[in-house]
Amino acid sequence: MTAPTVAAPRLLPWLLRVHRPALYVWTGLLVLLGGTLLWLWGPLTDAAAEAWRQYNACATGGVCRYDQDAILRYKDVYLYASFAVLAVPFLVAAWAGGALTGRELEHGTAQLAWSQGISPARWLTAKLAVPAALVGAGTGLLVLLHHLTWSAGRSRVDNTKSWFSTETFYANGPLVVALALAGLAAGALAGLLLRRSLAALGAAAVAVAALWTALRFALPHLWPTATGVSGLDGGPGYPGLLVDQGLVTATGAHIDNPGCGSTATAECRELFDRLDAVGYYTDYHPASHYWPLQLTATGAVLAAAALMTLIAFRLLRRRTADKGAAR
Amino acid sequence: MTTPLTGPPRAVLRLHRTALIVWGLFVTGTIAGLVWLNTVTADSARAKSARCDPLAYCADPFANTSYSAPISWISTFICYGFLAVAAWAGAALIGRELEQGTARLAWTQGVSPARWLAAKLAVPALVLTVGGIMLVVAFRWGWAANRDLMGDDWAFADVFVARGPATVAYALCALAVGTLTALLLRRALPALAVSLGAMWTLNFFLERYRESFWPTVTRTSPPEFEASRSWWPLENGAIIDGRRTQDVPYWECDGTSAENERCLDDLGITGHYTTYHPQSHYWPLHLVETGIVLTVAAVATLIAFRLLRRRTTAPAVRKGASV
């Protein structure tokens, strides 16, 4: 038990030293993106809110002078910032695959570390724990800023994205943090599996893309939907995250929407009569489902991350144990 | 022609056979997808739409998207495929060899650095050119075959590139830029990131200023006129007191058409204009962009060779001096 305690203080500084460039890039990214979000939260939201106030004060028919540029700038910067937040899981996965484990195994520096009194399990624990803390804290900060920025605009800027708009839904909550951690686990696992830096980089990025695609399909079904029924004359409602929509008949059956249009035209009225339709049904998630959806999805992604971490540890143990036995 | 490939070119092919397989799968898969979409999917989508008289209840009012969505994805992948080439060239082709010292090993085995780099560039360039031409030819056919099912046009950023030699030019440029960044940084992962970023930036600016690579056409006429759907519209507005302006206070005019006309006359509107690129400008615009990209590729290649020569001759001189 003495050897590990002697080695213990050296592990963390060594890890931070090896990955110093990544630490700089991550800090730079946080400063840049965090700064952009603060800029958006303060001056840009204020300017856009003022422009919307001018616009809404315009009398209809008269000349309307309002600061259209402020509104467009707000929208552009918001979208760029959201996409940048959503790119974080991919960057983390690519880095973890390329630089965290794959490169060390390819170059043999991992084996060197294991021979210096650092057990493989402790090596991997440190390799995962320190980046996980930094990635979790950093991404969490970005998500918090994004959410605060979005909330600040919601009541004042009329073109603020809705809560269920894809980029806003993901970038606004802990789901991105979970995806970034899953990216880290995927990268570490890919590096251990493939033992090659560039192959692991590609595989980890693809794994995050696959996880995200699966999430896109599964997410609306992670929580029971609410169903709204609206009359034929008013047209179908769109009150939140849409899951399914169609016609409801007199017997209460749900059938597909023929896409005819409004009942204002005689032909469509006739068609609806023939189908025995009495209204539209909409299966959707109202705003109150935001947190249940976010948290269930976050839980699912964290479970995937935990599973990948577990596989990584088992793989490492089996491989290093084999080697010991062979020796 | 029957002599088997030997020396450095053979080594390049062997070393990067995974990349070669991925590229081959991408090219053949995309072409097969285009054929399938234009023979099977297009007919079934059109049949579904035909049956889909909205007045007679149809289950799938958006049948066209089963054809148009994959075609759009294919145009995106063909156009932006050069980003993958940039990442690969920076990291796997050159960066890794310099980082691990295998390049130096090759140079001691009778392969001069210049020949080593020439093989490293020529073999992928040939493979990319052949595959790229196949992709462009297939896409030109596949994109044009069922225009009635599509909603895009020739001026869409990815369609613009994917329908001509710029696709190949971007791939070759990515190869050259990846090589240069790798020679500069001598490390695989940083080279990957920088080369990807550089190519993305180049494409971003070319895409942004694409419209100015050939003189635009401006059409003016007293009455308002409708833009043709084949145009790439850039700007339109009214002519007030002989000056073109996009800032026309139309909302000041309201009422019957006679009143409206009088009101517009009072504003001083003497005509309307539209600035655009007609479809016939596609090739001039496309070829100018291709030329710019190829120039960047040539310059990057030239710098790469000079850099390599300077770097590989300098130590020898120093060694000679110290003896």
Side-chain angles (χ1 to χ4, degrees):
Chain A
M1 284 312 283
T2 47
T5 46
V6 172
R10 290 202 314 243
L11 193 51
L12 186 64
W14 159 75
L15 196 62
L16 291 177
R17 229 187 111 75
V18 168
H19 295 290
R20 207 167 34 190
L23 198 61
Y24 292 155
V25 170
W26 181 233
T27 313
L29 184 77
L30 286 182
V31 169
L32 199 71
L33 192 49
T36 306
L37 282 165
L38 286 174
W39 180 48
L40 182 66
W41 186 5
L44 289 192
T45 301
D46 287 345
E50 174 59 20
W52 275 107
R53 203 194 52 72
Q54 290 166 353
Y55 180 82
N56 291 329
C58 282
T60 48
V63 179
C64 189
R65 295 254 171 260
Y66 67 101
D67 190 359
Q68 192 187 42
D69 291 345
I71 290 172
L72 294 178
R73 200 177 311 118
Y74 172 85
K75 186 188 121 197
D76 285 347
V77 174
Y78 178 84
L79 279 180
Y80 289 141
S82 298
F83 287 134
V85 171
L86 296 184
V88 167
F90 289 96
L91 287 178
V92 172
W95 170 77
L100 192 63
T101 53
R103 191 170 54 185
E104 297 239 354
L105 288 168
E106 187 174 349
H107 290 186
T109 45
Q111 290 83 341
L112 184 71
W114 302 339
S115 68
Q116 302 294 311
I118 299 169
S119 79
R122 267 198 64 224
W123 171 84
L124 185 59
T125 308
K127 284 251 162 200
L128 283 173
V130 177
L134 291 171
V135 165
T139 318
L141 178 73
L142 289 179
V143 163
L144 183 70
L145 280 174
H146 190 278
H147 196 103
L148 288 171
T149 305
W150 173 79
S151 306
R154 198 161 38 140
S155 57
R156 299 194 296 151
V157 180
D158 291 16
N159 61 331
T160 304
K161 286 281 182 179
S162 56
W163 68 270
F164 54 85
S165 173
T166 307
E167 78 296 321
T168 301
F169 182 88
Y170 283 90
N172 249 355
L175 192 45
V176 178
V177 184
L179 276 166
L181 293 175
L184 178 67
L189 178 60
L192 286 174
L193 268 176
L194 302 170
R195 282 180 270 191
R196 285 181 54 198
S197 172
L198 296 173
L201 182 151
V206 170
V208 172
L211 188 62
W212 205 312
T213 310
L215 201 57
R216 285 269 290 154
F217 286 107
L219 191 115
H221 309 289
L222 292 179
W223 201 254
T225 53
T227 301
V229 175
S230 54
L232 279 177
D233 296 335
Y238 199 70
L241 184 66
L242 186 71
V243 179
D244 191 21
Q245 197 165 58
L247 291 173
V248 56
T249 66
T251 59
H254 288 182
I255 58 171
D256 287 328
N257 187 345
C260 185
S262 108
T263 48
T265 57
E267 289 95 337
C268 284
R269 223 168 24 240
E270 209 174 284
L271 172 67
F272 289 142
D273 282 345
R274 203 160 65 238
L275 293 169
D276 201 17
V278 293
Y280 290 100
Y281 76 91
T282 306
D283 289 337
Y284 69 105
H285 288 292
S288 62
H289 286 192
Y290 175 74
W291 283 111
L293 281 172
Q294 266 279 343
L295 294 178
T296 344
T298 304
V301 174
L302 284 180
L307 187 69
M308 285 188 281
T309 311
L310 195 72
I311 297 175
F313 272 102
R314 290 190 70 95
L315 187 75
L316 184 68
R317 200 178 61 188
R318 223 185 47 196
R319 199 176 281 160
T320 48
D322 279 357
K323 213 169 139 200
R327 208 186 285 156
Chain B
M1 277 282 116
T2 49
T3 48
L5 205 50
T6 51
R10 188 185 143 85
V12 172
L13 279 179
R14 253 192 80 78
L15 197 57
H16 297 287
R17 57 182 180 276
T18 316
L20 187 68
I21 291 168
V22 170
W23 173 244
L25 285 177
F26 173 65
V27 172
T28 49
T30 307
I31 293 173
L34 282 167
V35 171
W36 179 269
L37 286 164
N38 278 301
T39 50
V40 181
T41 318
D43 289 345
S44 82
R46 199 174 285 115
K48 253 190 230 167
S49 301
R51 260 186 281 129
C52 198
D53 180 4
L55 303 181
Y57 189 80
C58 60
D60 189 3
F62 303 110
N64 281 1
T65 53
S66 65
Y67 172 81
S68 61
I71 294 277
S72 299
W73 278 110
I74 287 176
S75 45
T76 305
F77 278 118
I78 293 179
C79 168
Y80 297 106
F82 68 86
L83 291 174
V85 176
W88 172 78
L93 184 68
I94 308 288
R96 190 170 53 190
E97 297 243 347
L98 293 173
E99 181 175 320
Q100 301 186 347
T102 43
R104 270 174 205 292
L105 185 69
W107 302 339
T108 61
Q109 302 296 309
V111 180
S112 76
R115 260 195 74 211
W116 171 85
L117 185 59
K120 285 267 177 200
L121 284 171
V123 176
L126 187 69
V127 171
L128 287 171
T129 306
V130 171
I133 290 173
M134 285 163 71
L135 282 175
V136 169
V137 169
F139 183 75
R140 284 189 62 79
W141 162 76
W143 182 81
N146 288 287
R147 292 307 303 149
D148 57 313
L149 296 173
M150 295 292 294
D152 60 358
D153 61 59
W154 65 274
F156 273 43
D158 48 359
V159 173
F160 183 90
V161 172
R163 285 180 66 230
T167 303
V168 179
Y170 270 113
L172 295 178
C173 187
L175 178 66
V177 168
T179 301
L180 178 60
T181 45
L183 282 171
L184 282 171
L185 299 170
R186 280 180 270 194
R187 286 184 57 199
L189 293 175
L192 184 151
V194 172
S195 144
L196 198 65
M199 279 312 292
W200 184 79
T201 311
L202 175 71
N203 173 256
F204 179 85
F205 281 103
L206 289 181
E207 214 168 279
R208 186 160 179 174
Y209 296 107
R210 184 171 285 164
E211 61 187 51
S212 52
F213 293 160
W214 199 253
T216 55
V217 173
T218 299
R219 188 177 146 183
T220 56
S221 80
E224 256 186 294
F225 55 92
E226 206 159 301
S228 161
R229 286 187 65 189
S230 68
W231 292 354
W232 178 8
L234 301 170
E235 193 188 303
N236 59 72
I239 301 170
I240 296 181
D241 303 329
R243 276 184 299 110
R244 291 175 189 165
T245 174
Q246 290 181 276
D247 250 345
V248 187
Y250 286 113
W251 46 81
E252 287 183 6
C253 300
D254 207 4
T256 67
S257 63
E259 279 173 1
N260 202 16
E261 214 162 292
R262 197 168 340 112
C263 168
L264 288 176
D265 281 346
D266 291 345
L267 284 175
I269 295 178
T270 55
H272 297 269
Y273 77 98
T274 299
T275 302
Y276 65 97
H277 280 299
Q279 199 163 5
S280 61
H281 284 190
Y282 173 70
W283 283 111
L285 285 167
H286 188 94
L287 292 177
V288 171
E289 182 163 338
T290 306
I292 296 173
V293 176
L294 283 179
T295 309
V296 175
V299 171
T301 309
L302 199 71
I303 300 176
F305 271 102
R306 291 186 70 97
L307 188 74
L308 184 69
R309 199 180 59 191
R310 224 183 49 197
R311 198 175 281 159
T312 47
T313 50
V317 171
R318 230 179 288 134
K319 209 184 282 163
S322 68
V323 169

